[in-house]
Amino acid sequence: MNSIINDIEIIKSETTKIHDVDFDNLAFGSVFSDHMLECNFKDGKWQAPKVVPYQAISLDPSAKIFHYGQSVFEGMKAYKDANEDVYLFRPLDNFNRLNISAKRLAIPELPENYFMDGLKALLEVDKEWIPKQDGSSLYIRPFIFASGNGFHASPANEYKFLICTAPSGSYFSGKVKVLIEQTYSRSANGGVGFAKAGGNYAGQFYPTQLAVEKGYQQVIWTDDTSHEYIEEAGAMNIFVRINDTLITAPTSDRILDGITRKSIVELAKAEGIDVEVRKLSVHEVVEAAKNGSLKEMFGAGTAAVISPISGFGYKDEDFELPELEETFASFLKKRITDIQTNKVEDPFGWRYKLD
Amino acid sequence: MNSIINDIEIIKSETTKIHDVDFDNLAFGSVFSDHMLECNFKDGKWQAPKVVPYQAISLDPSAKIFHYGQSVFEGMKAYKDANEDVYLFRPLDNFNRLNISAKRLAIPELPENYFMDGLKALLEVDKEWIPKQDGSSLYIRPFIFASGNGFHASPANEYKFLICTAPSGSYFSGKVKVLIEQTYSRSANGGVGFAKAGGNYAGQFYPTQLAVEKGYQQVIWTDDTSHEYIEEAGAMNIFVRINDTLITAPTSDRILDGITRKSIVELAKAEGIDVEVRKLSVHEVVEAAKNGSLKEMFGAGTAAVISPISGFGYKDEDFELPELEETFASFLKKRITDIQTNKVEDPFGWRYKLD
């Protein structure tokens, strides 16, 4: 049953899995919609994308993704409002960042229309999969990986770009307790930390496991030279509130240019909150915790939106954060999700309505 | 046609591709033998490995290898001597390093007998694929990757361990010209640089492409903090000869503990060569090049064995290395390959004969 949407060929699934899904009790990213977008790079160029049934991928054992880690991805969400209109949030920023990541990993960059028209066609076909429930959304995972073959340690000559989607609930439930890392590191100066590259995540799992064994849920990454400066929180950017100032580290070649991060910076400024984008030392945070001026810490990212932190560990000492009635975290989370889900005006032009 | 070798179940291919292969003109790692070893981690443990026909792998699009880069590998070689006896080189060191890499990437460690007995069974079945030609060998690629599903950024619950083999000729032909990198980095302090993790290779491709555009073939990696210290050469360890002293950087959490590297250190010492394992600054190498005491530089690794360097670029200046009649590189390459291929005695106990 072929058709065309936005110039994209559609090959529809003959069955649907949607009736097996309990949309009122969704986990994060573990059930997948009926279709996916598939686009192949071969013969030196990206071939036309197609919407196809969600299906297994067959690869030669020598495919370079298995050996040399050439993979990049994005995380996005689609939201339905009360009228069942569908919205994305700053999707061109995801597209641009995907290509920034791809370039650093020597993966060929993708044409904008293949990404945007492909995504729109996919969401049109799987529109029923976008949850209407408050706090849920359709998590969207665009990714590119090296599918070309051979054991030579060099870039592949073939790649696959796919977009898969998963109706999802919250990423974290409740507050998390974090460990300020003093041994392991997430990224190097001149490395790939700014890219959403697969290898950046694999390298975090073991240190995170060690932190979990000590009773924390996430790691706060510090710079690899001195472990003196706070960089990221697990797979999120991090914000720290000292008195009434909200502080986050500047982006760099080690820190992901998070879309939620930069939206929060703009939103907080527009709301009259004092925001500082600057290097933030562990020393300053510990001192603020000791003298009572540390009011909040939270992670920010597409999957978790804003994830409040209840306390942190640093060199065998634990610090609790205060339980405030009104937090920047909950205020900003409501503001941003209200904009995302079309509950309020969007003065920033971030919301992107699908036709 | 099932059978058992070393307690490993064998499912034989019904056909062979061996007659299509020109063993006198082998490239590196681009034709693959008839069989592979396959071993799956599920339900919390590694399941019994099997030798199966070399075949495509089918994975869900949400398999974590595509998204979070959990993959590690090894490089080994099998050699045939004049009697057609088959030898490996320090295979237990590869096994141990694979598990060291796996642990850092939060991949479950593999039992030694699954690795060694599986490898032996595979080589027994594909014995005809081991080249007899001088300078050629059967390149062996053990690797493990995350095959479990889901978009949650956490370690997978299923993995695949495979060993594939490829009859191979030389990795590089001739000498290479290298660029001492001053912008990009390979690894962070506290990172995964010591592991043979896929992501370490993907991150090198783009800086290497930039070096190739400037007329070099490989990058010499320096530390990410100051770019003052020489660490690795492309995907190899690096040795520098100043006067008659052979110098290589000590291993660290940023530098791979290369099996060829440590063999060369031992071999050179046993041959009475003055060897220093110590930090080596770019400044020292440049000064040595200027005053004529820099005699040789070479990379060392399983794939290339020893790869001589003809010159290097540093901050827009090019330095040529002298053309010596007798080099440590060619002397040590002959010594190590003679040991590997059973042409000479092996006083170190490195050679490992297959029954």
Side-chain angles (χ1 to χ4, degrees), chain B residues 14 116 221 269 292 350:
Chain B
E14 292 178 6
M116 287 303 297
W221 295 104
K269 282 180 179 170
W350 291 336

Side-chain angles (χ1 to χ4, degrees), chain A residues 175-176 239-247 273-274 280 284-298 307-312 319-330:
Chain A
K175 287 188 174 186
V176 297
F239 286 81
V240 173
R241 173 183 171 187
I242 296 178
N243 291 318
D244 285 332
T245 301
L246 193 58
I247 308 162
I273 294 170
D274 183 27
L280 176 65
E284 184 180 354
V285 174
V286 170
E287 283 307 299
K290 285 181 175 166
N291 70 27
S293 61
L294 181 67
K295 302 298 183 193
E296 292 180 59
M297 293 171 70
F298 57 84
S307 176
I309 291 167
S310 63
F312 67 91
F319 298 87
E320 295 289 314
L321 270 76
E323 294 268 0
L324 304 179
E325 283 284 312
E326 293 186 348
T327 64
F328 284 179
S330 58

Side-chain angles (χ1 to χ4, degrees), chain B residues 10 52 63 72 83 85-86 119 134 141 192 251 291 325:
Chain B
I10 315 288
V52 299
V72 295
N83 293 328
D85 286 328
V86 175
L119 177 58
D134 237 28
R141 173 54 62 88
V192 303
T251 55
N291 70 29
E325 282 284 312

Side-chain angles (χ1 to χ4, degrees), chain A residues 250-262:
Chain A
T251 55
S252 73
D253 59 4
R254 293 192 310 274
I255 301 181
L256 188 79
D257 184 11
I259 292 164
T260 308
R261 173 191 170 280
K262 68 183 180 185

Side-chain angles (χ1 to χ4, degrees), chain A residues 54 57 59-60 185 189-190 203, chain B residues 54 57 59-60 104 185 189-190:
Chain A
Y54 186 91
I57 299 164
L59 293 169
D60 193 83
S185 303
N189 299 298
Chain B
Y54 186 91
I57 300 164
L59 293 168
D60 193 84
R104 182 62 181 84
S185 304
N189 299 297

Side-chain angles (χ1 to χ4, degrees), chain B residues 19-41:
Chain B
H19 307 298
D20 303 336
V21 179
D22 178 1
F23 279 82
D24 292 320
N25 292 288
L26 290 168
F28 182 86
S30 55
V31 296
F32 308 102
S33 313
D34 286 330
H35 298 87
M36 64 185 194
L37 187 79
E38 183 171 16
C39 182
N40 294 307
F41 182 92

Side-chain angles (χ1 to χ4, degrees), chain A residues 29 54-61 67-68 73 104-105 141 143 151 153 171 184-185 189-190 198 202-203 206-207 224-225, chain B residues 29 54-61 67-69 103-105 141 143 151 153 171 184-185 189-190 198 202-203 206-207 224-225:
Chain A
Y54 186 91
Q55 62 194 281
I57 299 164
S58 177
L59 293 169
D60 193 83
H67 305 274
Y68 301 125
F73 72 92
R104 182 62 183 84
L105 277 289
R141 172 55 60 90
F143 60 110
F151 290 152
Y171 192 86
Y184 295 100
S185 303
N189 299 298
Y206 176 68
D224 82 307
T225 310
Chain B
Y54 186 91
Q55 61 193 280
I57 300 164
S58 177
L59 293 168
D60 193 84
H67 306 274
Y68 302 125
K103 185 174 177 186
R104 182 62 181 84
L105 276 290
R141 173 54 62 88
F143 60 109
F151 290 153
Y171 192 85
Y184 295 100
S185 304
N189 299 297
Y206 176 67
D224 81 308
T225 310

Side-chain angles (χ1 to χ4, degrees), chain A residues 196-244:
Chain A
K196 277 190 91 75
N200 286 338
Y201 293 79
Q204 298 187 47
F205 292 163
Y206 176 68
T208 303
Q209 282 179 341
L210 296 180
V212 167
E213 285 166 14
K214 290 180 186 165
Y216 306 93
Q217 285 87 52
Q218 285 284 318
V219 165
I220 299 287
W221 296 103
T222 50
D223 67 285
D224 82 307
T225 310
S226 65
H227 294 294
E228 279 288 330
Y229 292 95
I230 284 181
E231 305 213 315
E232 282 198 27
M236 298 179 288
N237 295 109
I238 182 160
F239 286 81
V240 173
R241 173 183 171 187
I242 296 178
N243 291 318
D244 285 332

